[in-house]
Amino acid sequence: MIETAQAFGIDIGGSGIKGAPVDMNIGDIAEPRQKILTPEVSTPDAVGKVVKEMLDRFEVPDSMPVGIAFPAPIRPGKALNFMANLDKSWLGVDVQKALSDSVGRHVDVVNDADAAGLAEVQFGAAKGENGFVIATTLGTGSGSAMIYNGVLIPNSELGHLTLKGDDAEHYAAASVRENQNLGYKKWAKRLTRYYHMLETYFNPDLFVVGGGVSRMSDRFIPQIEIETPIVPAKLRNQAGIVGAAYHAMIHQD
Ligand code: BGC
């Protein structure tokens, strides 16, 4: 394992599981990340095996904090009660315990959008921003992180608010744009409705837009017509990894 890293981050997504060592001094990955496809049937066992393989590939030392970003609300010690985009057999499982058991060591698990939001506030687009930041991720699903004066209010799940009679993530996630072949202009109209709803109910000071699609932000963010400042994530696709590693580091007992 590379010497400049102080923690290891893994981001579990609907299509891929990505991992890399993280250098907290620069708030970025310390060596190129690796990606393993998410098992088609993404049960706790199958995903646990991939997480173990990732730690083995990088020869992560037992003493190094390991953080895992997971696409569902996470309450360590409690059973998972909501799962949108991985296998439903996760329901009822204590995710942090299950993944720790799979790899044979303690791992710290945090919601993926919360991880990404923390990374953006700590190191990225919302660094130094006081007040209320809502960081969103647009990917397979649509995640959210609420951060007030640097403190995370976890598990917000704003992507599941109802918009146009359906789950907002079924209307505005990046996967919807791809599956329905929407142009960026049309998609930006949907995003305007989504972010307008969020600003109406939550009145944040800043929105950060993350997820893989944030690298194309020039094509849609300027077309989102809302009052609140809205900026692309800086850590782009690495935010989940960096944020999970950061969360693990600050939650060491
Ligand atoms: C999940 C969230 C997650 C988001 C992004 C949603 O479907 O409910 O927990 O943060 O997808 O992966």
Side-chain angles (χ1 to χ4, degrees), residues 214-230:
S214 58
R215 66 173 180 274
M216 308 295 282
S217 62
D218 286 359
R219 315 222 6 214
F220 62 94
I221 292 190
Q223 301 187 58
I224 301 176
E225 291 171 14
I226 55 170
E227 299 293 320
T228 313
I230 180 163

Side-chain angles (χ1 to χ4, degrees), residues 70-73 82 84-85 111-114 137 141-144 157 160 169:
F70 190 85
F82 182 80
N85 295 313
N111 171 263
D112 57 356
D114 283 345
T137 62
S142 179
S144 60
E157 297 294 327
H160 298 291
E169 84 172 17

